Amino acid sequence: MKATITGAAASLRRLSNPWRSGRVAPAALAIAAACLLPASDALARDWSEVPGPLAGPPRIIGHHGAACLIGAQQLPAEGVGYQAVDLERRRHYGHPELLDYIQTLGRRVAEAGFGPMLVGDMSQPRGGPMSYGHVSHQSGLDVDIWFRLDLPVLDRSEREGLEQPILVDPKTARLDARWTDRHAELIRLAADDPRVARIFVDGAVKRDLCDREWDDRSWLRRIRPWPWHDEHLHVRLRCPADQKECVDQPEPPAGDGCATILPTPRPLVEASPVRRLPPACAAVLEQ
């Protein structure tokens, strides 16, 4: 049984990152689901299968790890300075504030002379839990931006299943030779926006940013070390002022967070705690 669980864990990891290790065989998925997925997985599948956003004024109900979304908008598949990847996953939806943030960042990346940046998962059409890959990304305020900056503009069909290289050596917990000044500048540009609550990156990335000379270091407070973020940065915005049902996280601790940066080793699989959605989300799913 132990061997079966280990294999299932590997299958789940490949499923979360199909661009890295290829698609998973149906039999492997069945084993993974039986051994590891929480009882709420069926509900997560329901949220991933909704036909589209629920019409209405933008409304976020809940917090990043247990929320739903009314009036979500779909990010255009490409724009100035960015291109969205893995479009078939149907995860490029969000609150209008998130779309504006991504498009603004894309323009800043283009002005800086690098990119285009690759935009990964945002939220599902009505938010809610995902059947694989994330615990958060439920409120329409989260987006993954890949560290990969070496690709030209691609056709939409060419953006499915792209390789997402890990830039941290698992043995030394240090960044490898592919890490460049452009990656550090991408994170600075991403953090230099008052709408940003947190940006999650690997501990090695945070250490590199702390060791650099910056005229303004205040944005480093928002850079938080977290496992599984050695190939992308995960941006989380604050709740917009008019979203009274949206629940923010507490502010990060004071200071730049550089005094003590612990390693962020990768666990075997990402934790998937079951969280109860706000009662109002039942109607969002059913309509």
Side-chain angles (χ1 to χ4, degrees):
M1 183 62 179
K2 180 178 180 181
T4 300
I5 292 175
T6 302
S11 294
L12 274 184
R13 184 55 184 159
R14 287 193 296 271
L15 176 61
S16 298
N17 292 276
W19 49 81
R20 180 182 301 156
S21 304
R23 305 295 174 183
V24 185
L29 291 183
I31 294 173
C35 294
L36 291 174
L37 292 180
S40 62
D41 183 56
L43 176 61
R45 285 198 301 271
D46 289 343
W47 284 94
S48 68
E49 294 169 359
V50 296
L54 188 60
R59 179 183 170 195
I60 299 170
I61 305 170
H63 63 85
H64 62 278
C68 58
L69 180 63
I70 298 172
Q73 295 182 5
Q74 185 174 14
L75 180 74
E78 53 274 319
V80 177
Y82 81 87
Q83 51 189 336
V85 296
D86 289 317
L87 297 168
E88 293 178 359
R89 292 155 71 102
R90 296 181 70 236
R91 294 179 173 182
H92 288 91
Y93 294 84
H95 186 279
E97 199 71 42
L98 180 63
L99 271 66
D100 181 74
Y101 168 82
I102 294 168
Q103 292 166 327
T104 299
L105 178 59
R107 290 191 293 270
R108 297 183 71 191
V109 166
E111 291 169 0
F114 59 87
M117 68 180 189
L118 303 182
V119 180
D121 287 352
M122 296 164 58
S123 291
Q124 298 175 139
R126 300 184 192 179
M130 296 180 179
S131 57
Y132 66 90
H134 303 283
V135 174
S136 60
H137 287 257
Q138 296 192 34
S139 67
L141 294 174
D142 292 74
V143 59
D144 288 344
I145 297 172
W146 291 19
F147 285 142
R148 188 164 187 183
L149 296 171
D150 63 331
L151 294 176
V153 176
L154 301 173
D155 290 337
R156 295 183 185 184
S157 62
E158 297 177 299
R159 299 182 220 156
E160 301 295 331
L162 290 173
E163 181 184 3
Q164 191 174 9
I166 295 173
L167 300 185
V168 178
D169 187 319
K171 295 182 180 179
T172 65
R174 295 185 178 278
L175 292 165
D176 65 24
R178 292 170 295 180
W179 181 260
T180 68
D181 293 343
R182 293 192 305 167
H183 294 106
E185 181 63 9
L186 172 64
I187 299 173
R188 188 193 70 80
L189 291 174
D192 189 21
D193 188 308
R195 294 173 290 188
V196 173
R198 282 169 168 76
I199 294 181
F200 300 101
V201 297
D202 188 86
V205 174
K206 172 78 174 185
R207 283 194 296 272
D208 176 85
L209 298 175
C210 287
D211 290 343
R212 293 173 179 264
E213 295 293 331
W214 305 99
D215 292 336
D216 173 21
R217 297 178 64 86
S218 62
W219 58 273
L220 288 169
R221 179 187 182 191
R222 297 189 285 276
I223 309 300
R224 313 307 299 175
W226 202 257
W228 301 108
H229 293 76
D230 46 15
E231 10 79 321
H232 73 278
L233 59 139
H234 172 175
V235 180
R236 175 169 297 151
L237 301 188
R238 305 177 192 279
C239 291
D242 64 344
Q243 295 296 306
K244 304 306 181 184
E245 297 166 281
C246 179
V247 181
D248 266 324
Q249 284 182 272
E251 286 291 315
D256 59 16
C258 293
T260 303
I261 305 173
L262 299 176
T264 52
R266 284 172 161 253
L268 181 62
V269 293
E270 292 174 274
S272 299
V274 178
R275 296 188 173 105
R276 187 180 300 277
L277 291 170
C281 289
V284 176
L285 176 62
E286 292 168 1
Q287 292 185 52

